[in-house]
Amino acid sequence: MFIDTHVHLNNKQLESHLEEVIQDAFLKQVTTMIVVGYDLETSQKAILLAHQYDWCYAAVGFHPTEIKDYTDNEYQILEEMLQDEKVVALGEVGYDLHWDTTTVEEQERAFVRQIELAKKYHLPLIIHSRDAHQITFDTLKKHHAEEIGGIMHSYSGSVELAKEYIKMNFSFGISGPVTFKNGKNMKEVVEQIDIQYLVSETDSPYLTPHPYRGTENGPQYIPLIVEEMAKIKQISVEEMALAIRNNVNRIVGKTL
Ligand code: NI
């Protein structure tokens, strides 16, 4: 019934007890997952998992803090990965101005290069944007990302900016912070943005929802996020979950 559109089963932490993570998720009816890569190795792992499990799909891409040593060689491999039948998106890519392992210029070059690849292979983007709301928007607009659109991962920007993103064919990944007392921005986005632009994600093993903050996150907590979304939208959890499934299918252009 439920979908996790952003989970790092390819991360060492979840990998170390993967069968348990999957079992817990299925017990909570989280039966479809998109495993998101953030560097070459985790993108390759995402594809392996997607081939191992029917219910699993992959997103591949290079996160802005991981691109420093990447040359044409890595981008060549990325391009090959994008042609895999279980790859449904390019990501996570974007800007991260919180960490300074790479410069803004390096991040921009890598981002633009990957936007162009997403356009070439008609794949939606999964966007990571940390401390970089405006520059992320500007780069996507300048490089015509509206041709493919995608998902603003764990969106914490304003409702105003969200409306601009909708015009560029983007939807919003709603995650753990929607359950936090101080998750005002994300709650507002759920409240004010049309339901057809909302999807659910955990970003596991990070961003654990209330009341499990401080422990490892896993896809089994998706219902907590969808319940909060349903409550804000004043509909049933089943209706919310169904809307999310339709939205994800529309975004990736196939039935997951
Ligand atoms: Ni992530």
Side-chain angles (χ1 to χ4, degrees), residues 111-119 125 139-140 143 145 148:
F111 189 20
V112 170
R113 192 166 183 171
Q114 293 180 92
I115 294 171
E116 295 305 331
L117 282 176
K119 282 168 25 184
L125 290 158
T139 301
L140 286 167
H143 296 278
I148 41 177

Side-chain angles (χ1 to χ4, degrees), residues 6-8 36 38 63 92 128 153 201 203-204 206:
H6 195 119
V7 55
H8 297 295
V36 181
Y38 43 92
H63 186 282
E92 58 188 288
H128 172 99
H153 150 54
E201 62 165 68
D203 199 23
S204 312
Y206 317 107

Side-chain angles (χ1 to χ4, degrees), residues 20-222:
E20 186 188 15
V21 171
I22 292 169
Q23 206 173 20
D24 288 349
F26 270 73
L27 281 173
K28 296 288 182 184
Q29 299 184 64
V30 182
T31 51
T32 307
M33 300 181 217
I34 300 176
V35 174
V36 181
Y38 43 92
D39 59 12
L40 185 58
E41 190 191 346
T42 55
S43 293
Q44 287 168 327
K45 278 186 191 167
I47 290 182
L48 282 177
L49 286 165
H51 281 271
Q52 192 176 348
Y53 301 108
D54 276 355
W55 45 264
C56 183
Y57 298 84
V60 294
F62 305 146
H63 186 282
T65 59
E66 308 298 323
I67 39 95
K68 198 166 188 67
D69 302 320
Y70 284 7
T71 61
D72 287 349
N73 181 41
E74 281 78 13
Y75 287 94
Q76 178 63 43
I77 301 170
L78 176 61
E79 194 160 349
E80 284 160 22
M81 290 194 286
L82 292 173
Q83 298 170 63
D84 188 283
E85 58 180 7
K86 297 260 350 233
V87 169
V88 295
L90 191 155
E92 58 188 288
V93 296
Y95 286 105
D96 194 315
L97 305 184
H98 181 77
W99 307 105
D100 60 358
T101 53
T102 46
T103 65
V104 157
E105 292 75 21
E106 287 169 326
Q107 293 191 14
E108 182 177 17
R109 268 198 300 278
F111 189 20
V112 170
R113 192 166 183 171
Q114 293 180 92
I115 294 171
E116 295 305 331
L117 282 176
K119 282 168 25 184
K120 182 171 175 186
Y121 293 99
H122 304 288
L123 286 166
L125 290 158
I126 293 178
I127 303 294
H128 172 99
S129 174
R130 187 162 184 196
D131 297 346
H133 289 307
Q134 195 59 46
I135 188 176
T136 303
F137 180 81
D138 292 344
T139 301
L140 286 167
K141 190 159 180 79
K142 184 174 168 197
H143 296 278
H144 298 285
E146 74 278 1
E147 286 176 27
I148 41 177
I151 298 171
M152 298 305 300
H153 150 54
S154 198
Y155 182 74
S156 62
S158 66
V159 168
E160 200 184 9
L161 185 60
K163 287 179 178 165
E164 294 302 311
Y165 270 123
I166 289 171
K167 291 181 197 158
M168 289 210 300
N169 287 323
F170 278 87
S171 295
F172 307 93
I174 303 303
S175 55
V178 80
T179 66
F180 299 170
K181 273 210 176 70
N182 61 0
K184 193 168 149 277
N185 268 20
M186 206 179 263
K187 286 185 205 285
E188 261 174 31
V189 166
V190 174
E191 191 186 325
Q192 299 200 30
I193 294 299
D194 191 297
I195 194 169
Q196 65 176 307
Y197 302 112
L198 304 176
V199 301
S200 51
E201 62 165 68
T202 58
D203 199 23
S204 312
Y206 317 107
L207 288 182
T208 312
H210 175 79
Y212 301 105
R213 283 180 91 173
T215 66
E216 180 185 280
N217 198 6
Q220 76 271 19
Y221 294 143
I222 277 285

Side-chain angles (χ1 to χ4, degrees), residues 57 84-88 248-256:
Y57 298 84
D84 188 283
E85 58 180 7
K86 297 260 350 233
V87 169
V88 295
V248 174
N249 289 342
R250 182 193 74 237
I251 293 164
V252 304
K254 60 164 108 171
T255 304
L256 302 195

